[in-house]
Amino acid sequence: MSARKAKLTISRWRFAVLLAGLLLLPLVAVWHIAGLQVMPDANRGYEFLQDQAAARTVRTTSIPAYRGVITDRHGTPLAVSTPVVSLYINPQEFRGDHSGLQQLANGLDIPTAQLKQKLERYSGKEFMYLARHLAPDQAEQLLALKIPGVYARNEYKRFYPAGEVTAQLVGFTNIDDQGQEGMELAFNDRLTGVPGAKKILKDLKGRVIKDLSLVRAEKPGQDLALSIDLRLQYAAYRELKAAVARHGASSGTMVVLDAKTGEVLAMANQPSFNPNDRSNLDTDAMRNRAVIDLLEPGSLVKPLTIAAALESGKFDPHTPVDTSPGWLRVGRKTFVDPVNYGLIDLTSILTKSSQVGTTKVALALEPDHVRDVFQRVGFGDSPGTGFPGESPGSLPQYRDWKPVARANFAFGYGLSATALQLAQAYSVLASDGIRKPVSLLRGYRPYPEERVMDKGVARQIRGMLKTVTHQGGTGTRAAVAGYEVAGKTGTVHLVGAGGYEEHRYRALFAGMAPADDPSLVAVVVISDPRGKEYFGGQVAGPIFGNVMADALRILKIAPYQFVEGEMVARPGNDDGRAG
């Protein structure tokens, strides 16, 4: 018995080693734990573990920046951004059964087969958009389905309160909020903000648990104040749309300028489009015809030809010109008046829009003199508004001025200009011979103004143009009750495949009011009217008169009053500036 006990006895030194080992194990465990959670430099220490956790749960996400607001000159919004939600999916995470797929398709209002096919096409990728620019409440309903792999992204969508009234001028953005047309494109860099960034914590299913920190604050885009007055824009658009429909015309354009500053107060086009719904967009309606489309100005340049005659010193407003027998042959071409006006003065040439009279005056001048006047008022030169596609027009220079070319030039054939350029040219007459830079931005002057015509000559032309809207003139329908209007009608043949079309026209009117101290200048262009009326005075003149009447009232420009049969300005007449 004693021998068996002796065999089971453990030596003390072995017992001590065993006990020490057992006591050391907890210390080793504590040391390892400390290495993982306290000591950053330990192999795979706490920094390593935190980095691994962060790599799986912490994400840096973009904060969308608000695009700048576009307004009219008084701050009325023309383009604003509204918050929306876009949904996307990671096809590799999507493990929905048929019912989940069905729910998602129903919520997106698309066929289930179509969604399934799209998911299969993106099966090897980690990102696919499900829907862009959803209303936040609709997106929340879809997210509430808790379908694996479906996530949301906050974005902004552009909205245009004035719709088609300002569509071609303001333009629009694409789905990624980048300018594509109009002022949205021209000033895209200014309007576009700088996105921010923040760190967020997600769970293993990709759901956001909380925001951790702001990495970089977003910077909103700058606002843009246009020069237009939305009240005048509505008036121009309304009259233009009604006239195009009434006359069966293919298109129409109207530009209204502030004669005191050169700023564009209205720029309307027909046909137009709704920038808020471009599902059935006609690309032809997107074009801002006022600054892009070129036209032969026809009789609208006759006042400038007469201005060249006055500058020459050979003529004054009452110089007689014999237009008998009502036609004039120059080379192989014959210029004809509607009737034989006989002996008339320069004023009557404008009143009646006499082709024969204008031709005789032009042939009496130096060949380059008329072209020089055209160039000084802005023809052949880009207006400088910065609008995409803005055209400089065409003002040819002939080495050998043949008589027929001089005659055609004098009444607006053989050169081309935009409606905006015509408005700028007439603003020179309205501002006593000073060429003002036209602008689409409130308070912006792209270049200095300059005198390009003698003050006396400009005032004489304005006085002569008053007769156009009086009894016996070609533009009586452009008259505005209570105000003197100075203007000019124009009717030009359209160019077809075989040259000038015999029975297709473009009706024009350009003018200003009040005539003695103009506050507003406007140009109206109606292309290819198909009704019985097609002359500029019949088609474009009434549009000018109606819009100008509304504009003068809106801007509170006082009318004239009659004192003993004489028309005089009311005391305290407003200077007409649009503010």
Side-chain angles (χ1 to χ4, degrees):
M1 188 70 178
S2 59
R4 183 180 295 180
K5 286 183 178 181
K7 290 181 179 179
L8 294 176
T9 300
I10 300 174
S11 62
R12 291 184 177 181
W13 69 270
R14 289 182 176 178
F15 178 77
V17 171
L18 179 62
L19 183 60
L22 291 175
L23 293 174
L24 188 60
L25 284 176
L27 294 177
V28 172
V30 171
W31 180 262
H32 182 64
I33 293 172
L36 294 177
Q37 299 189 7
V38 179
M39 300 178 184
D41 295 330
N43 183 31
R44 300 202 171 196
Y46 77 86
E47 286 187 348
F48 169 80
L49 295 176
Q50 288 180 346
D51 289 343
Q52 291 298 306
R56 291 165 173 76
T57 60
V58 177
R59 295 287 184 270
T60 300
T61 185
S62 175
I63 304 173
Y66 188 83
R67 188 175 176 87
V69 177
I70 300 178
T71 70
D72 82 337
R73 66 184 305 105
H74 299 298
T76 304
L78 303 176
V80 296
S81 295
T82 56
V84 291
V85 178
S86 291
L87 294 183
Y88 64 95
I89 190 171
N90 183 342
Q92 297 185 11
E93 295 181 18
F94 182 65
R95 296 292 182 270
D97 56 16
H98 182 73
S99 60
L101 186 66
Q102 182 77 42
Q103 285 181 309
L104 191 58
N106 290 341
L108 296 172
D109 195 24
I110 59 176
T112 304
Q114 180 180 333
L115 178 59
K116 183 178 180 181
Q117 185 179 27
K118 188 175 181 181
L119 284 168
E120 289 174 351
R121 194 164 63 248
Y122 281 80
S123 60
K125 301 183 182 299
E126 296 182 352
F127 181 92
M128 184 191 86
Y129 272 118
L130 290 171
R132 300 292 299 272
H133 295 179
L134 296 177
D137 56 346
Q138 183 183 1
E140 286 298 327
Q141 292 175 7
L142 290 169
L143 291 172
L145 298 175
K146 299 186 183 304
I147 298 175
V150 176
Y151 305 104
R153 174 180 291 174
N154 293 324
E155 295 182 320
Y156 287 104
K157 180 181 179 181
R158 210 62 162 161
F159 177 68
Y160 302 93
E164 61 184 56
V165 176
T166 59
Q168 295 92 349
L169 175 60
V170 174
F172 56 83
T173 61
N174 62 12
I175 198 166
D176 293 317
D177 219 19
Q178 294 296 303
Q180 299 296 293
E181 295 287 343
M183 302 301 275
E184 290 274 34
L185 173 59
F187 293 90
N188 185 61
D189 290 344
R190 174 174 172 175
L191 291 163
T192 302
V194 179
K198 64 180 178 179
K199 286 187 176 181
I200 58 174
L201 183 64
K202 289 186 175 183
D203 62 16
L204 294 179
K205 293 185 178 181
R207 295 172 297 194
V208 177
I209 299 174
K210 67 176 180 178
D211 293 345
L212 295 179
S213 62
L214 180 66
V215 177
R216 181 182 64 254
E218 76 277 15
K219 183 180 179 182
Q222 299 179 53
D223 294 342
L224 189 69
L226 303 188
S227 60
I228 66 166
D229 186 323
L230 190 56
R231 300 169 299 176
L232 273 62
Q233 181 77 11
Y234 270 116
Y237 177 81
R238 180 189 65 238
E239 294 295 331
L240 200 62
K241 185 174 184 178
V244 167
R246 182 167 58 250
H247 296 285
S250 62
S251 64
T253 296
M254 185 170 190
V255 177
V256 181
L257 295 184
D258 185 332
K260 308 295 183 181
T261 66
E263 294 179 354
V264 177
L265 298 180
M267 183 178 282
N269 294 274
Q270 275 293 308
S272 189
F273 67 97
N274 182 2
N276 298 307
D277 180 10
R278 301 193 291 275
S279 55
N280 297 310
L281 182 61
D282 179 5
T283 55
D284 187 55
M286 293 164 50
R287 195 167 68 252
N288 188 352
R289 301 172 186 274
V291 297
I292 295 175
D293 283 14
L294 294 176
L295 55 93
E296 289 184 310
S299 295
L300 293 193
V301 303
K302 286 179 180 176
L304 302 175
T305 299
I306 299 302
L310 297 179
E311 287 183 349
S312 72
K314 298 179 180 180
F315 297 87
D316 64 46
H318 305 294
T319 300
V321 177
D322 188 5
T323 66
S324 297
W327 56 270
L328 178 66
R329 189 166 183 81
V330 180
R332 299 187 207 177
K333 188 170 183 179
T334 301
F335 300 99
V336 182
D337 282 337
V339 298
N340 181 7
Y341 295 124
L343 190 66
I344 58 177
D345 60 14
L346 260 65
T347 299
S348 297
I349 288 176
L350 293 181
T351 307
K352 303 295 185 181
S353 197
S354 169
Q355 302 281 62
V356 175
T358 304
T359 300
K360 285 195 170 185
V361 170
L363 294 178
L365 302 174
E366 292 297 321
D368 285 323
H369 197 166
V370 174
R371 184 189 183 280
D372 179 57
V373 172
F374 290 177
Q375 186 175 40
R376 278 187 270 144
V377 299
F379 293 158
D381 188 15
S382 177
T385 63
F387 192 90
E390 180 182 72
S391 176
S394 173
L395 186 65
Q397 173 66 66
Y398 297 105
R399 292 183 179 180
D400 180 19
W401 283 94
K402 297 186 181 300
V404 69
R406 293 165 62 185
N408 282 329
F409 220 65
F411 48 80
Y413 285 90
L415 67 150
S416 62
T418 63
L420 182 61
Q421 286 178 303
L422 288 169
Q424 184 180 39
Y426 270 71
S427 75
V428 172
L429 301 176
S431 57
D432 292 342
I434 296 176
R435 178 178 167 183
K436 298 179 183 293
V438 293
S439 175
L440 292 170
L441 301 180
R442 185 188 65 192
Y444 176 66
R445 304 292 179 270
Y447 51 86
E449 60 184 36
E450 62 175 323
R451 176 166 295 284
V452 297
M453 186 181 293
D454 179 76
K455 178 190 292 186
V457 170
R459 290 186 172 183
Q460 284 180 313
I461 296 296
R462 285 210 311 270
M464 297 162 75
L465 289 178
K466 284 197 249 181
T467 65
V468 173
T469 60
H470 291 175
Q471 189 65 34
T474 59
T476 54
R477 295 192 191 181
V480 179
Y483 298 88
E484 274 277 29
V485 172
K488 184 70 187 72
T489 59
T491 309
V492 297
H493 288 274
L494 291 176
V495 178
Y500 289 106
E501 300 278 353
E502 185 176 356
H503 300 296
R504 296 181 64 197
Y505 305 91
R506 182 175 282 117
L508 312 165
F509 190 91
M512 60 205 75
D516 293 329
D517 182 20
S519 297
L520 300 171
V521 173
V523 170
V524 180
V525 180
I526 302 295
S527 294
D528 203 13
R530 293 304 184 98
K532 293 181 179 180
E533 296 182 328
Y534 58 85
F535 288 111
Q538 297 171 325
V539 177
I543 303 172
F544 173 92
N546 292 340
V547 174
M548 193 63 73
D550 285 345
L552 293 168
R553 174 183 54 79
I554 290 170
L555 299 180
K556 299 180 181 179
I557 299 171
Y560 290 96
Q561 63 180 349
F562 289 90
V563 178
E564 296 180 356
E566 295 290 329
M567 185 180 286
V568 298
R570 290 186 185 276
N573 194 37
D574 196 293
D575 68 359
R577 298 190 65 165

